[in-house]
Amino acid sequence: MPRLSLAALILVLAACARPAPQGDPEALALLDRARAHHGSALLDRAEVSFQFRGTPFVLRRDGGRFRYARTTTDSLGRTVEDVVDNDGTHRFVDGAPVPLDSAEAARTETAVNSVAYFALLPAPLADPAVRARRLTPERVGGRDYDRVEVTFAQDGGGQDHQDRYVYWLRQSDGEVGHYAYTYDVTPGDTARAATGTRFRVPLGSRRVGGVLFQDWRNLSADSLERLEAFGDVYDRGLAFDVSEVVLDSVRVRAI
């Protein structure tokens, strides 16, 4: 057996020590299969650009480094770039940095991160804050799915670490077929859609640069006892449409 050089040994040890998601082995294996089917490894060092509801986003990931940016125009016609990266949350107006108070920084971080998370799924399910648990399989819409519950550790889980997700992964190939999640309702919001839960049904998909990107119908339900019951609620026609989640002009560039 050939001996490893010191440099090679250091690289091997570093790879072995890399933080990984936690959970039961079956759940983690299902998430690995989903990421492989979607081509998520290609996003480890890539720049993804797209428009979401008319707003441009550029998501850059380079190993452990990341930079997620959205660009808007304010009421004065100035270009506003909001950036979330390893160092925090930043705002630039016409290229000049503008300080953010803690409340605005938190709102901006949540807004940018949430779009990035959904756009890049299932790649974010490799994050070390992920806690995965396998649920019983289920048949939804005539297809068989494995199900995985995902929660997050507070350390590294971001502003929304308390949220809970359930993923329906197609048994045939591991593709994300549906997913449901909880979120915090804005205080005082009495709209019918302010249920604190969502269920997503695929609208379409396409591969760009080897990566599978998906668009979704965003649904909820008036009464839901458990998040994992959404599959049955949907099959019984009891879910209602809230919005559509569509990524336009998706491009992927390796870095």
Side-chain angles (χ1 to χ4, degrees):
M1 179 177 178
R3 296 178 61 185
L4 290 174
S5 68
L6 178 59
L9 182 59
I10 291 173
L11 288 174
V12 170
L13 292 175
C16 292
R18 184 176 301 161
Q22 303 296 309
D24 67 71
E26 289 183 332
L28 295 175
L30 288 169
L31 295 183
D32 284 344
R33 184 174 183 239
R35 290 194 301 272
H37 174 76
H38 283 251
S40 297
L42 298 171
L43 297 174
D44 288 345
R45 285 181 169 79
E47 183 178 276
V48 178
S49 61
F50 57 87
Q51 290 206 9
F52 175 62
R53 297 174 180 166
T55 298
F57 283 78
V58 178
L59 313 180
R60 183 181 178 90
R61 293 157 59 98
D62 187 3
R65 305 293 299 177
F66 71 94
R67 185 183 191 274
Y68 300 156
R70 73 174 179 189
T71 304
T72 57
T73 302
D74 68 11
S75 59
L76 300 177
R78 300 177 300 180
T79 299
V80 180
E81 184 184 43
D82 290 322
V83 175
V84 178
D85 61 21
N86 297 80
D87 301 316
T89 302
H90 323 277
R91 175 166 294 167
F92 303 89
V93 177
D94 284 342
V98 174
L100 298 173
D101 61 35
S102 58
E104 181 62 19
R107 285 192 295 269
T108 301
E109 177 187 350
T110 296
V112 173
N113 267 341
S114 62
V115 173
Y117 181 88
F118 294 133
L120 300 179
L121 278 173
L125 300 182
D127 290 347
V130 165
R131 301 294 181 263
R133 180 172 70 96
R134 187 179 187 185
L135 304 177
T136 56
E138 185 178 39
R139 189 171 181 84
V140 179
R143 283 184 178 270
D144 293 321
Y145 295 93
D146 290 305
R147 293 188 301 169
V148 176
E149 175 197 62
V150 170
T151 55
F152 304 92
Q154 183 171 355
D155 184 15
Q159 297 283 341
D160 299 319
H161 66 269
Q162 73 281 357
D163 292 349
R164 178 171 173 258
Y165 286 72
V166 174
Y167 291 90
W168 283 255
L169 307 176
R170 284 197 324 213
Q171 289 186 349
S172 58
D173 55 16
E175 183 169 310
V176 178
H178 305 284
Y179 63 96
Y181 61 95
T182 61
Y183 68 94
D184 286 335
V185 177
T186 303
D189 190 346
T190 59
R192 183 190 181 197
T195 59
T197 61
R198 291 290 186 265
F199 181 67
R200 293 197 171 175
V201 176
L203 271 174
S205 63
R206 65 279 191 203
R207 284 197 182 270
V208 181
V211 181
L212 182 65
F213 292 90
Q214 296 172 291
D215 299 322
W216 302 93
R217 288 172 58 205
N218 208 19
L219 295 88
S220 192
D222 290 321
S223 179
L224 189 75
E225 293 182 1
R226 298 172 297 111
L227 193 64
E228 50 266 50
F230 252 125
D232 178 62
V233 167
Y234 173 69
D235 271 353
R236 291 163 58 200
L238 300 178
F240 61 86
D241 283 279
V242 175
S243 62
E244 292 186 354
V245 179
V246 177
L247 305 181
D248 295 312
S249 305
V250 180
R251 296 184 178 182
V252 178
R253 182 176 68 87
I255 59 174

